[in-house]
Amino acid sequence: MSRRVLITVFAALALIAAGCGDDDADDAGDTPDEPGVEETTDDEAMDDDAGDSPPMSPAELSVEDQSGDGTTVQVASVTLPADGFIAVHADDGGPGPVIGSSDLLPAGESTDVEITLDEAVSGDTTLWPMAHIDTNLNGTYDFGSPPEPDADGPATFADGEVAVLPLDYSIE
């Protein structure tokens, strides 16, 4: 082989190698093409950050009028979009102060949820079970009046209304 041919071959190889090096530089930071591995764009990463709060809707709630000794209330069923609670509010022409709350309930449907009241009711009344979401993710019902900044928030029905229903409670 002549010297001229060798120089041309080496120059071509150098160009090919340089081109491959540029492709590798362009691929820096790319996710490998492996099954189950997906690239995340900056927009998707921002959407993930926005999704840190649990969903508040849609919740479903079903209650029935009942009678008892004034110490417990039963909610027929609740469907929560995230882990949460049922808080029972006293009557104040609508939901008043919280007088009891359930243990932490899992997302999805729970039936026959019994809530022990912190304050027993002494006469026939209207009670207001309300679904709440564990928005601060601590597993404890936290809600004050007025609501504290890190308090658990009320769940909402699909139409955006707070998930609360009245029930008539009578003392046996």
Side-chain angles (χ1 to χ4, degrees), residues 41-61:
T41 65
D42 289 340
D43 290 339
E44 289 171 331
M46 284 190 279
D47 288 346
D48 287 346
D49 291 341
D52 288 345
S53 297
M56 305 303 281
S57 180
E60 296 177 20
L61 187 61

Side-chain angles (χ1 to χ4, degrees), residues 125-148:
T125 188
T126 300
L127 297 176
W128 298 85
M130 181 186 294
H132 282 256
I133 301 300
D134 186 20
T135 54
N136 59 13
L137 306 175
N138 70 357
T140 303
Y141 177 71
D142 300 305
F143 195 80
S145 183
E148 298 168 11

Side-chain angles (χ1 to χ4, degrees), residues 33-77:
D33 291 332
E34 298 176 22
V37 177
E38 297 180 23
E39 285 187 52
T40 302
T41 65
D42 289 340
D43 290 339
E44 289 171 331
M46 284 190 279
D47 288 346
D48 287 346
D49 291 341
D52 288 345
S53 297
M56 305 303 281
S57 180
E60 296 177 20
L61 187 61
S62 175
V63 299
E64 298 172 359
D65 293 342
Q66 56 198 271
S67 60
D69 64 3
T71 62
T72 61
V73 173
Q74 190 163 23
V75 170
S77 70

